[in-house]
Amino acid sequence: MSERRITPPDPHDFLAVDSALPAEERAIRDTVRDFAERELLPNVADWFEAGTIPDPRGLAKAFGDLGVFGMHVAGYGCAGASAVAYGLACRELEAVDSGLRSFVSVQGSLAMTAIHKFGSEDQKQKWLPRMAAGEAIGCFGLTEPDSGSDPGAMRTRARRDGSDWVLDGTKMWITNGSVADVAVVWAATDDGIRGFLVPAGTPGFTANVIHKKLSLRASVTAELVFDGVRLPADALLPGSKGLGSPLSCLNEARYGIVWGAVGAARACYEAALEYAGTREQFGGPIAGFQLTQRKLADMVVDVNQAGLTALQIGRLKDAGACHHNHVSFGKFANVAAAQRVARTARSVHGANGITLEYPVLRHMVNLETVATYEGTEEIHALSIGQSVTGISAFR
Ligand code: TGC
Ligand code: FAD
């Protein structure tokens, strides 16, 4: 009796994680990957070098047409796709650049999720279909100059004045802040932390672009200043109440990062694998040296383990069983894995690795931001620590 021949691992999907995906999820992956490789990849190094996205409105429209804004939201012109499908989209976008996945995360997972979860029916009808289509851009203002990891210490304040609200304060490091049509702004009130919708152009509201970033350069980051901004009563997101409201939006964006980090890691590993096979030193390809093979082994293990982590968290999410500590686990583990892979891939590229001709250093420095925003590595370590011990060590 002849033995069945088992196919050897595919270097591009070593544990055959993707081949196990259902056809519908693979189709979404392929659509986003084709778009990303055709429309984004040829331009991203120039955008990164220029330190901006030259046409954010055009990019928003293209993402809207692709259907990735609010992709996992049901109704209001959104695709209502599975959590895994949304994760795959984030993975394929971040394989090009973390800043481009951020654009989608902030719009869909933060601004649109806040409106969807906590907005009135009028607010949802007014903003969500236009945001899903990429005709309106949103941003999400939680962080302040003096409160990042500890958003409960925010100083931005909204006080009642008749039926109006008056908003004062500063938000810092806000992705898409200066190109947004509407800012979701979190402020302390006499009734705890609440969310507000502040349209661009409201008197007293200014957005100042942050320059001189060395990371996430293909992304717009801004400071938002609110100086006696008068808002009508219906600017309040009526369902928002307490710090748990913005944190529940963060879970959605952090989930996208769990997958996105796999994309950045995969892109670095694949660049290193290709480079190692063609670059020759000492009379042969550097891929033939034991030390390079060790690097490739470390990278392929990290990429595949991170992929499995993302898929399992995605399946939990689709089953309605994903706790926010699962998401902390994924963000903590996968971003650290991606950082290791990016650093190793850069070393495989030698001097070429420090240029924008290759993606590795761009991913490596982007991942410094990814490890910082949406809860730093330390904050997620503390969340996991609290989860397994029952003891909070945040304070
Ligand atoms: P704590 O007392 O623990 O919690 C306050 C209330 O919130 C609940 N909660 C959560 N709810 C939903 N999801 C979560 N992940 C939650 N974490 C906590 C908690 O149960 C409690 O509810 P209740 O009913 O008892 O009041 O709050 P704390 O002040 O001790 O802070 C906890 C901590 C440190 C985990 C939290 O503040 C935190 O996550 N800090 C990190 C801040 C952060 O991630 N900022 C991100 C800003 S947005 C951004 O970076 C966008 S980047 C662009 C992109 O995504 O691409
Ligand atoms: P800090 O909180 O001051 O932390 C500094 C250091 O202290 C970190 O290493 C941290 O882990 C550590 N630390 C803090 N507390 C503890 C503790 N209890 N135990 C141990 N260590 C601790 N925010 C938004 O609201 N919206 C956005 O769209 C947005 N986009 C961003 C885009 C970019 C490019 C960047 C860089 C940031 C963005 N952020 C955004 C802000 C981001 O969420 C914050 O930078 C992040 O939450 C960390 O806050 P911080 O920078 O103030 O650092």
Side-chain angles (χ1 to χ4, degrees), residues 70-364:
M71 190 173 157
H72 53 315
V73 171
Y76 304 97
C78 304
S82 70
V84 168
Y86 174 60
L88 288 163
C90 290
R91 188 185 74 181
E92 297 309 322
L93 294 172
E94 194 149 356
V96 175
D97 195 89
S98 302
L100 301 172
R101 192 269 309 139
S102 249
F103 198 123
V104 171
S105 292
V106 166
Q107 175 90 347
S109 293
L110 293 179
M112 290 175 71
T113 294
I115 297 170
H116 190 256
K117 274 180 188 269
F118 307 117
S120 66
E121 192 52 37
D122 281 353
Q123 289 168 330
K124 292 181 199 180
Q125 294 290 355
K126 177 172 179 185
W127 289 108
L128 292 179
R130 289 175 59 212
M131 291 171 85
E135 288 159 5
I137 299 177
C139 68
F140 184 91
L142 180 64
T143 305
E144 302 189 352
D146 295 324
S147 74
S149 298
D150 182 13
M154 69 175 61
R155 292 190 190 158
T156 297
R157 194 156 175 83
R159 64 178 166 82
R160 280 270 189 198
D161 186 25
S163 66
D164 289 350
W165 291 92
V166 178
L167 188 63
D168 285 286
T170 303
K171 296 290 175 182
M172 194 65 182
W173 302 111
I174 307 306
T175 301
N176 280 349
S178 57
V179 298
D181 299 285
V182 63
V184 174
V185 181
W186 299 95
T189 73
D190 287 343
D191 199 17
I193 291 172
R194 313 287 308 262
F196 295 86
L197 296 183
V198 185
T202 306
F205 170 26
T206 46
N208 307 309
V209 177
I210 297 175
H211 295 287
K212 299 190 178 177
K213 288 183 301 174
L214 294 175
S215 171
L216 219 75
R217 289 178 56 77
S219 174
V220 176
T221 317
E223 171 198 52
L224 310 183
V225 180
F226 306 95
D227 183 8
V229 174
R230 183 167 289 277
L231 298 168
D234 64 5
L236 174 73
L237 291 174
S240 64
K241 188 94 170 68
L243 186 57
S245 295
L247 291 181
S248 69
C249 302
L250 297 187
N251 295 333
E252 299 300 321
R254 290 167 176 175
Y255 170 74
I257 292 174
V258 172
W259 282 90
V262 182
R266 186 191 73 201
C268 291
Y269 156 70
E270 294 204 332
L273 182 62
E274 187 182 343
Y275 190 85
T278 53
R279 175 71 179 172
E280 294 197 359
Q281 290 292 288
F282 298 100
I286 60 170
F289 300 134
Q290 290 182 354
L291 291 175
T292 309
Q293 291 199 2
R294 174 61 199 258
K295 291 177 185 177
L296 292 167
D298 284 341
M299 286 189 278
V300 78
V301 166
D302 264 335
V303 170
N304 282 267
Q305 287 185 337
L308 282 173
T309 296
L311 185 60
Q312 172 62 5
I313 292 172
R315 295 281 180 242
L316 286 173
K317 197 162 164 57
D318 278 326
C322 181
H323 187 272
H324 61 75
N325 287 328
H326 289 124
V327 178
S328 281
F329 178 108
K331 203 231 173 206
F332 177 78
N334 284 10
V335 176
Q339 287 185 296
R340 285 193 298 271
V341 172
R343 196 179 315 120
T344 305
R346 202 227 58 77
S347 83
V348 170
H349 284 76
N352 281 321
I354 70 152
T355 72
L356 281 171
E357 295 298 319
Y358 295 86
V360 288
L361 187 66
R362 179 168 52 78
H363 279 299
M364 190 177 133

